[in-house]
């Protein structure tokens, strides 16, 4: 099969260039901070056309515009085109021209050489009956994993954590197509014993990658908890909060209601932000942007916390190992400016408090 190319998406790119409807622009989290068209989807489609027609050459300026994107999919939810496929191909084109951030190359090399993205004091393993894929972030956070496994056990699930390697999402997302193929082979070999089983997952990004890039039968563990929550008689929490939909969990996997069902069962008073569910906006941690533009990522996180304040709450609950620390950074920095600290809570911690 031919590898995907920008040329294959020419009709879509021209559709945007001719339509220029702009539905994607105003709430693009990067545009919201930068205020420049080139960072929004409509601008990237112009860049794609320029590259297709040879009107512009790959350059560091183009690289920056292409890399300053969260691959969050907000624009795709507003559009009828395959925006994210096109942006990923733009990144691949930059990598082919040796135009890419050193941070992205370093991560790719690390995953290729070591099989995982972050330091693991000691890899988590566990005997059990239900396969649970932790992913690199959780493999580096054994205390959080202990809490989650304890919650799952209280839900009657006995997780089995096997030998794991990185799913390679960040490698593919940052344009290293060939290296991703190598990583895919290693992942498929390592996880082969579970290829025909239902696998529970924790990280939304790993979940979508295991599903779409590996064709595995995955179920995010929070869905398994939501299925059982009514039978568990959880303690009622005295909490008013909003829920932040992680991009991969919500928009891309369609898991919007299950976390809200759990919050309701826990007695949480839930107020929605204007941008919720399919039109939720990113925390600032997606697409490798935080590695190359940490200040931009921080401003995006602050904007998301502003959304929560606008909803009238001082607590944000979410369920993603990237969103929680990214939003917390934004909340801490924004507190210095507005004098209010919005706390960011992990749904797993609330479950830990509420389940006997
Ligand atoms: S919504 Fe789609 S078609 Fe409209 S400007 Fe944005 S990318 Fe182009
Ligand atoms: S994927 Fe997200 S950050 Fe990138 S252009 Fe679309 S809305 Fe903006």
């Amino acid at each position: 099969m031919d590898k995907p190319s920008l040329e294959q998406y020419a009709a879509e790119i021209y559709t945007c260039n001719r339509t220029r409807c702009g539905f994607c622009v105003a709430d693009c989290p990067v545009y919201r901070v930068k205020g420049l068209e080139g960072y929004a989807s409509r601008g990237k489609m112009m860049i794609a056309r320029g590259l297709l027609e040879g009107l512009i050459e790959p350059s560091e300026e183009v690289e920056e515009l292409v890399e300053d994107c969260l691959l969050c999919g907000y624009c795709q939810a507003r559009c009828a085109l395959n925006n994210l496929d096109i942006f990923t191909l733009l990144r691949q084109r930059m990598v082919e021209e040796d135009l890419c951030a050193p941070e992205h190359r370093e991560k790719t090399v690390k995953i290729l050489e070591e099989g995982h993205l972050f330091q693991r004091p000691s890899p988590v393993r566990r005997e059990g009956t239900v396969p649970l894929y932790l992913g690199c972030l959780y493999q580096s956070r054994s205390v959080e994993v202990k809490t989650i496994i304890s919650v799952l056990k209280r839900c009657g699930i006995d997780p089995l954590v096997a030998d794991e390697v990185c799913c390679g999402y960040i490698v593919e997302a940052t344009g290293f197509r060939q290296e991703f193929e190598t990583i895919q082979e290693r992942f498929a070999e390592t996880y082969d014993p579970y290829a025909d089983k239902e696998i529970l997952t924790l990280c939304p990004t790993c979940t979508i990658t295991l599903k779409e890039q590996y064709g595995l039968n995955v179920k995010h563990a929070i869905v398994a908890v939501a299925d059982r929550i009514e039978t568990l008689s959880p303690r009622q929490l005295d909490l008013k909060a909003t829920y932040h939909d992680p991009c991969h969990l919500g928009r891309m996997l369609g898991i919007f209601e299950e976390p809200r069902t759990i919050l309701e069962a826990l007695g949480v008073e839930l107020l929605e932000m204007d941008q919720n569910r399919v039109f939720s906006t990113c925390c600032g941690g997606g697409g490798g942007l935080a590695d190359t533009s940490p200040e931009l990522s921080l401003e995006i996180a602050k904007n998301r916390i502003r959304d929560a304040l606008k909803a009238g709450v001082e607590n944000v609950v979410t369920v993603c190992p990237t969103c929680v620390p990214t939003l917390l950074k934004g909340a801490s920095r924004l507190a210095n400016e507005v004098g209010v600290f919005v706390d960011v809570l992990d749904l797993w911690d609330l479950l830990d408090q509420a389940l006997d």
Side-chain angles (χ1 to χ4, degrees):
M1 200 170 68
D2 287 344
K3 67 175 187 169
S5 69
L6 218 45
E7 285 70 19
Q8 286 168 0
Y9 288 90
E12 294 195 27
I13 292 164
Y14 282 108
T15 298
C16 172
N17 284 188
R18 288 175 187 132
T19 315
R20 297 188 52 75
C21 67
F23 293 139
C24 59
V25 176
D27 266 340
C28 161
V30 177
Y31 177 84
R32 209 173 147 190
V33 175
K34 294 267 196 179
L36 293 170
E37 173 101 11
Y39 293 96
S41 181
R42 187 166 65 178
K44 287 188 187 31
M45 294 292 187
M46 289 296 284
I47 292 169
R49 177 181 175 178
L51 289 169
L52 273 180
E53 295 183 355
L55 295 173
I56 54 172
E57 294 293 324
S59 64
E60 283 180 12
E61 196 183 356
V62 174
E63 179 206 331
E64 190 215 320
L65 289 166
V66 168
E67 281 174 356
D68 276 353
C69 172
L70 299 151
L71 296 182
C72 68
Y74 171 82
C75 49
Q76 190 157 287
R78 288 281 182 199
C79 188
L81 310 177
N82 289 296
N83 312 53
L84 296 187
D85 289 349
I86 294 168
F87 303 161
T88 305
L89 285 167
L90 284 173
R91 288 181 168 196
Q92 283 175 24
R93 179 78 196 278
M94 292 300 113
V95 170
E96 280 162 18
E97 303 286 340
D98 208 18
L99 286 161
C100 81
E103 294 87 349
H104 291 167
R105 190 175 293 284
E106 278 159 25
K107 281 198 165 173
T108 295
V109 170
K110 181 170 172 59
I111 295 169
L112 277 170
E113 286 178 355
E114 299 176 21
H116 50 86
L117 184 50
F118 303 107
Q119 293 311 323
R120 309 175 183 187
S122 56
V124 180
R125 302 270 183 283
R126 188 179 188 275
E127 299 282 322
T129 53
V130 181
L132 174 72
Y133 179 80
L134 302 183
C136 290
L137 262 173
Y138 278 117
Q139 276 287 357
S140 70
R141 299 183 192 165
S142 56
V143 175
E144 288 176 37
V145 171
K146 215 170 155 188
T147 303
I148 295 169
I149 287 180
S150 160
V151 168
L152 290 175
K153 281 169 68 184
R154 281 175 270 169
C155 293
I157 298 165
D158 181 24
L160 176 160
V161 182
D163 202 16
E164 287 186 2
V165 287
C166 176
C167 68
Y169 166 80
I170 197 65
V171 175
E172 205 253 342
T174 51
F176 292 87
R177 175 81 217 162
Q178 222 174 323
E179 290 80 355
F180 180 57
E181 283 169 15
T182 308
I183 286 164
Q184 273 181 304
E185 282 166 25
R186 183 173 56 195
F187 180 96
E189 235 170 71
T190 311
Y191 228 60
D192 183 58
Y194 309 98
D196 60 350
K197 298 190 166 52
E198 183 178 78
I199 302 159
L200 292 185
T201 49
L202 295 179
C203 169
T205 303
C206 297
T207 311
I208 193 85
T209 307
L210 264 56
K211 183 177 176 203
E212 294 196 344
Q213 302 284 356
Y214 296 92
L216 295 174
N217 177 14
V218 286
K219 182 181 202 172
H220 194 279
I222 213 70
V223 176
V225 174
D227 290 345
R228 295 160 172 80
I229 195 74
E230 286 306 329
T231 62
L232 298 169
S233 308
R235 195 162 63 79
Q236 299 297 283
L237 305 177
D238 181 18
L239 184 70
K240 183 165 116 176
T242 192
Y243 174 71
H244 165 79
D245 292 276
C247 301
H248 284 133
L249 191 71
R251 202 159 25 239
M252 300 183 198
L253 288 159
I255 300 170
F256 300 114
E257 301 314 320
E258 292 85 344
R260 289 174 169 84
T261 301
I262 294 171
L263 288 170
E264 197 182 323
L266 267 47
V268 175
E269 185 188 343
L270 192 62
L271 280 85
E272 294 290 352
M273 291 183 269
D274 289 343
Q275 302 86 348
N276 64 70
R277 296 180 171 82
V278 76
F279 297 128
S280 172
T281 54
C282 183
C283 65
L289 180 140
D291 295 325
T292 52
S293 302
E295 280 304 314
L296 174 59
S297 168
L298 186 62
E299 290 305 317
I300 293 167
K302 281 163 63 181
N303 276 341
R304 193 58 176 146
I305 298 297
R306 285 190 181 98
D307 294 341
L309 282 171
K310 197 172 157 217
V313 293
E314 292 177 17
N315 294 289
V316 178
V317 181
T318 192
V319 63
C320 166
T322 299
C323 295
V324 171
T326 307
L327 290 173
L328 265 176
K329 270 190 216 158
S332 306
R333 189 67 75 89
L334 190 69
N336 296 330
E337 294 173 25
V338 300
V340 181
F341 176 68
V342 175
D343 205 358
V344 181
L345 308 166
D346 192 320
L347 184 52
W348 290 109
D349 287 334
L350 298 187
L351 280 161
D352 186 40
Q353 289 167 36
L355 293 179
D356 288 329

